Structure formats: structure tokens, C-alpha cells
Amino acid sequence: MKSAIYPGTFDPMTYGHLDIIKRAANIFDELIVGVLDNKEKTPLFSVDVRVNILKEATKDLPNVKVESFGGLLSDYCKSKGIFVVVRGLRAVTDFEYELQMSQINRKLSDNKLDTVYFNTSLKYSYLSSSSVKQIAQFGGDLTDFVPGFVADMLLEKFDQKN
Ligand code: PNS
């Protein structure tokens, strides 16, 4: 069985992420969506909420599992026997960071971990979790960016903050 992991912060998941998940799930037998639980970062949504958003959005994809992980991605992959990392590339500006991450993960895994890139669908090429949060903060329309239930959660969060 060919498994892969799609790791990320997913704060929150956008339609761009979901697009990559669906396409990767068509190629691999099993896709684990790995949600980073990073105590140093202060995400808008807790790791449990980010995991639940992804679980809800992928509930109709039987070969997709959503899990949280902490520490090094290479260690997590080793513990699960996974050798393929999936990442999305929106534009050439993503490339330098992604290449560096891929090389580090390869080095840390004794050359066992490979990264495969999906080019983000054009209609999502401008989309990021950060821009979605900014739009939500100022009450903008999120319809084309995140599922309705995520939009509601974002608006509620910013309502509480204001
Ligand atoms: O969605 P993001 O924030 O671009 O995802 C980044 C992520 C989670 C893939 C990356 O930060 C990561 O793998 N962090 C775990 C720590 C690690 O393994 N670091 C070494 C590679 S740079």
C-alpha cells in the first residue's frame, strides 16, 4: 500500500488545501493529512479544531486520515513508515522554502523521504490561510475560499476578538 503524508499548519484549511488533498488521495492508496501542533506558534485555531475542520471536510474521502503531529516531520514519517511527503506549490515564490524543507527532510531521514509537489489549481493560486484570516477579520466574503462552516467559525472567532 502506497501511503503519503500532506503536512501543514492548516490554520485554517482552505479550498486550496482541499484541492491538493483530493488530487493526492486519487494517486496514493492512503493519504494522511498531518496537522502541525507547534507550541511555539500561536495559531488562530487550536490543533484539535484544525484537525476537526479537516476531518469534516474530508469525511467523504475514505482513504484520507487526519492526524496531528509534533516535533520533526521526518521522525513522524519514520514512526508511521511513510516515505512520501505531499506539498502544494502555488507559485515560484513558494519554491525556495519548499526545496529547502524537502532537502532537510531528506537529510534527516537518511535519504528515505521524498517530497512530491502538486501545482495548486490556478483558481486557488492566490489563496493562503493568512489572507483568508485577514479577509475574515474585516468581514469580507469568504465564499470562494473556505467551506461555509469554516467561514462561520472564522467570523465567530473575529467577533469574539473585537
Ligand atoms: O502549512 P505550512 O505552515 O507551510 O507547513 C509547514 C510544515 C508543517 C510542513 C513544516 O513547518 C514542518 O514540517 N514542521 C515540522 C518541523 C520539521 O520537521 N522541521 C524540519 C523541516 S523544515
Side-chain angles (χ1 to χ4, degrees):
M1 184 160 89
K2 200 76 198 156
S3 299
I5 184 165
Y6 177 31
T9 307
F10 304 109
D11 185 41
M13 179 213 76
T14 67
Y15 278 139
H17 295 129
L18 197 53
D19 177 55
I20 303 280
I21 291 171
K22 287 179 181 166
R23 287 158 60 203
N26 268 335
I27 291 177
F28 295 99
D29 300 314
E30 178 189 56
L31 182 72
I32 292 176
V33 181
V35 181
L36 181 67
D37 184 7
N38 184 347
K39 304 279 188 272
E40 281 148 37
K41 276 193 188 175
T42 45
L44 183 64
F45 293 105
S46 71
V47 68
D48 290 342
V49 172
R50 285 178 282 140
V51 164
N52 285 338
I53 288 174
L54 277 150
K55 280 189 174 164
E56 174 62 26
T58 59
K59 64 180 180 208
D60 295 329
L61 303 172
N63 62 335
V64 174
K65 270 195 209 157
V66 185
E67 295 177 359
S68 62
F69 76 99
L72 289 174
L73 177 64
S74 51
D75 288 341
Y76 186 64
C77 290
K78 191 176 177 188
S79 74
K80 307 220 47 121
I82 290 177
F83 304 100
V84 182
V85 175
V86 165
R87 292 283 289 172
L89 277 181
R90 285 169 300 191
V92 82
T93 41
D94 283 341
F95 185 71
E96 218 169 305
Y97 168 64
E98 293 296 336
L99 185 67
Q100 185 190 22
M101 235 177 10
S102 154
Q103 303 285 26
I104 290 174
N105 285 330
R106 206 167 144 71
K107 170 80 181 155
L108 290 174
S109 65
D110 288 329
N111 296 338
K112 288 196 177 75
L113 261 185
D114 270 308
T115 304
V116 299
Y117 298 104
F118 284 71
N119 54 328
T120 303
S121 297
L122 264 185
K123 60 179 175 175
Y124 302 126
S125 59
Y126 55 86
L127 195 52
S128 69
S129 297
S130 312
S131 53
V132 160
K133 281 182 278 194
Q134 259 187 37
I135 295 163
Q137 190 171 4
F138 298 109
D141 183 4
L142 293 166
T143 314
D144 291 337
F145 307 146
V146 293
F149 76 96
V150 180
D152 290 346
M153 291 168 82
L154 277 161
L155 296 178
E156 197 181 315
K157 264 272 178 218
F158 284 110
D159 244 16
Q160 282 167 9
K161 283 195 165 185
N162 293 332

